[in-house]
Amino acid sequence: MTQPVAVVRVGETTEVTRGPKRRMSLRSRVTLLAAACVAVVMALVSIGAYVTVYNNLYQQVDDNLANRAVAAVRTPEAQIGLRQIPGAFLLSTDMQIGVLNQDGTVTSPDRTHRPPTGSSELAVAQGTASSSLRTDTGTDTRVIALPYQDGSAMVLAQPLAPVKQTLRELAVVLALIGGGGIIVAALAGTAVARTGLRPVERLTSATEHIARTGDLRPIPVSGDDELARLTHSFNTMLGTVAESQERQRQLVADAGHELRTPLTSLRTNLELLLSASRAGAPTLSEKDRADIEVDIRAQLDELTQLIGDLVELARQDEPRTEFERVELADVVERALDRARRRATEIDFQVDLRPWVLTGDHWALERAVLNLLDNAVKFSPSGSTVRVRLFPVGDGTAVIEVADSGPGIADADLPKVFDRFYRSSEARTLPGSGLGLAIVKQAAERHGGTVYAGRAPEGGALLSIRVPGAPA
């Protein structure tokens, strides 16, 4: 398949650019790597084996020549008719043998067995060299010469053709074995890559399906290897994303439900005011107008608080990587200062112990302030709200806020920290139903939890428990 080509004209010149080259697939790279590794190993083994056999064969030839030459020199002469010849001529019919005189003449059994001679052998015959061993390239033989008698040298030669034929056959065998090994390695690498990458292909297809359709169902897992653990981790991530999306959908649905009532009431009041201002419409009394204006302000305040709480929930859902050292007692004191300014008719009884943790001081202060506002909302004027911060002894500390109100019904205790949940007693009071949900979210972000119960005085007792250490 050809690559896309783009033609760009700049002035009088034309530039042709090609698309990016497609990289080799992982399966091809695994196959190539396996074949390359086997090829390198086979090459090293083949070279080592060839060199070893080469040296051994040539060493055997040299050793054989040396032994035969020593034996030929020591063999006594033989009498054939009236002639005396070296006895080695009769015993060395399987190789070339001869006696080289110092004048350069060679005596041999016949012409077919005459060994090649040269300056090296002549130097031995003349006594200027003790021995010689060389390869004669003209006849492709290995030639050795040893001193024989005064003014002569015994010369033996062995053809190298059998040795070279053996080495050629060895090279062919090693090449065939190496090539076969490379082919087998490539096939095995392809099979291993196909088998090993099949889960990766399934995971890739699943991710593409998720990106295309948004379907966050878990991916089937098979086996217990690294790829199976990767799939498990991916499924965990999918579960987290699905849970986050479900929380977002639930938040939007609940927010829409909660916003509908104040918006409907606000719209009704505004339509009444607009209708009264039209010509010919019945006028509103000053008392009715004042009541409508009070309702509009209350509804706007309710909308403002609801939107602010929604923004706070969304802000706390964001991941935060930078935490700081937080003095929890100082956080509670700052929240108390704000609560006292809002509720001057409530008395706060405070008992705080030093406690430090790593976290977000702003989120913790907002959570404590929500607990205080909730206690003030249900406490009658002139009553007391009790606030305590104390360590439990297991590496955690508890912030308790107890009010003087009617308390929480048994049916409402498990739900008071849910989003938009409001008990029947709280529906007539101002609030969005998100304050305690923000408290729960802040506690969980800091590794803690929340509790709801009854105070000894009869009111509600809400608590935050977070890890940390004494200051």
Side-chain angles (χ1 to χ4, degrees), residues 3-69:
Q3 298 178 354
V5 178
V7 180
V8 181
R9 299 186 181 275
V10 181
E12 296 298 328
T13 63
T14 301
E15 298 180 3
V16 179
T17 60
R18 295 185 178 271
K21 293 183 178 180
R22 184 178 180 182
R23 297 186 62 184
M24 186 182 297
S25 66
L26 181 58
R27 180 184 300 174
S28 300
R29 280 181 279 174
V30 171
T31 302
L32 182 61
L33 179 61
C37 291
V38 172
V40 171
V41 172
M42 292 301 299
L44 293 176
V45 172
S46 299
I47 292 173
Y50 186 85
V51 171
T52 301
V53 173
Y54 178 92
N55 291 333
N56 288 337
L57 288 178
Y58 274 89
Q59 187 63 42
Q60 289 177 8
V61 170
D62 291 345
D63 292 343
N64 181 58
L65 272 176
N67 294 332
R68 296 287 295 273

Side-chain angles (χ1 to χ4, degrees), residues 231-261:
T231 307
H232 277 299
S233 301
F234 193 80
N235 285 338
T236 302
M237 182 188 69
L238 288 180
T240 303
V241 173
E243 182 181 354
S244 175
Q245 286 188 352
E246 181 61 29
R247 287 200 308 267
Q248 290 176 0
R249 283 194 292 265
Q250 187 63 38
L251 178 62
V252 171
D254 293 341
H257 177 74
E258 292 295 324
L259 286 170
R260 189 178 295 114
T261 299

Side-chain angles (χ1 to χ4, degrees), residues 11 25 30 39-40 43 46 70 84 101 130 161 169 173 184 191-192 257 284 302 316 322 338 363 379 409:
S25 66
V30 171
V40 171
S46 299
V70 171
Q84 282 190 337
N101 299 313
S130 60
E169 293 175 354
V173 171
V184 171
V192 171
H257 177 74
L284 293 173
E302 185 177 354
Q316 290 196 16
E322 295 183 1
R338 296 171 64 181
S379 297

Side-chain angles (χ1 to χ4, degrees), residues 115-400:
T117 57
S119 58
S120 299
E121 291 77 20
L122 187 60
V124 175
Q126 294 174 351
T128 57
S130 60
S131 64
S132 72
L133 179 64
R134 67 182 180 89
T135 299
D136 185 75
T137 57
T139 58
D140 196 20
T141 56
R142 192 73 169 160
V143 182
I144 188 172
L146 293 178
Y148 179 53
Q149 292 178 350
D150 293 339
S152 65
M154 183 68 70
V155 181
L156 284 82
Q158 181 172 339
L160 295 177
V163 174
K164 292 186 175 181
Q165 179 64 26
T166 302
L167 291 176
R168 282 194 295 270
E169 293 175 354
L170 176 63
V172 172
V173 171
L174 291 176
L176 292 176
I177 294 176
I182 294 173
I183 294 174
V184 171
L187 295 176
T190 302
V192 171
R194 182 181 293 110
T195 304
L197 295 177
R198 189 173 293 119
V200 177
E201 293 175 352
R202 289 200 301 266
L203 188 59
T204 302
S205 300
T207 55
E208 292 174 349
H209 175 73
I210 291 169
R212 185 173 60 255
T213 64
D215 184 5
L216 299 178
R217 285 178 295 181
I219 302 171
V221 182
S222 60
D224 56 355
D225 54 5
E226 291 80 359
L227 292 174
R229 291 199 297 271
L230 174 62
T231 307
H232 277 299
S233 301
F234 193 80
N235 285 338
T236 302
M237 182 188 69
L238 288 180
T240 303
V241 173
E243 182 181 354
S244 175
Q245 286 188 352
E246 181 61 29
R247 287 200 308 267
Q248 290 176 0
R249 283 194 292 265
Q250 187 63 38
L251 178 62
V252 171
D254 293 341
H257 177 74
E258 292 295 324
L259 286 170
R260 189 178 295 114
T261 299
L263 285 175
T264 302
S265 180
L266 183 62
R267 179 176 181 177
T268 301
N269 288 328
L270 288 175
E271 287 178 349
L272 284 175
L273 290 177
L274 292 174
S275 298
S277 63
R278 293 193 184 98
T283 59
L284 293 173
S285 64
E286 291 297 328
K287 182 179 181 302
D288 291 339
R289 182 178 293 275
D291 290 341
I292 291 175
E293 290 176 354
V294 170
D295 286 344
I296 290 176
R297 291 192 185 95
Q299 290 149 8
L300 288 175
D301 291 340
E302 185 177 354
L303 284 174
T304 302
Q305 182 179 357
L306 179 58
I307 293 172
D309 289 341
L310 288 172
V311 171
E312 175 62 20
L313 281 174
R315 193 186 76 87
Q316 290 196 16
D317 274 337
E318 296 176 356
R320 181 179 293 272
T321 57
E322 295 183 1
F323 279 172
E324 58 186 357
R325 177 185 171 91
V326 177
E327 296 281 351
L328 198 54
D330 293 344
V331 170
V332 177
E333 286 287 358
R334 289 195 297 270
L336 279 167
D337 290 340
R338 296 171 64 181
R340 288 189 181 103
R341 289 194 296 269
R342 298 180 183 180
T344 57
E345 71 283 359
I346 300 296
D347 181 43
F348 291 92
Q349 182 182 342
V350 182
D351 180 16
L352 304 179
R353 307 288 178 84
W355 192 259
V356 296
L357 71 159
T358 301
D360 183 357
H361 69 89
W362 192 94
L364 290 171
E365 182 179 340
R366 177 63 186 270
V368 176
L369 182 60
N370 285 359
L371 290 182
L372 296 174
D373 288 342
N374 185 79
V376 169
K377 182 168 61 174
F378 289 97
S379 297
S381 179
S383 61
T384 300
V385 172
R386 181 169 52 83
V387 182
R388 294 179 62 204
L389 167 60
F390 58 93
V392 179
D394 60 351
T396 62
V398 174
I399 303 173
E400 283 186 352

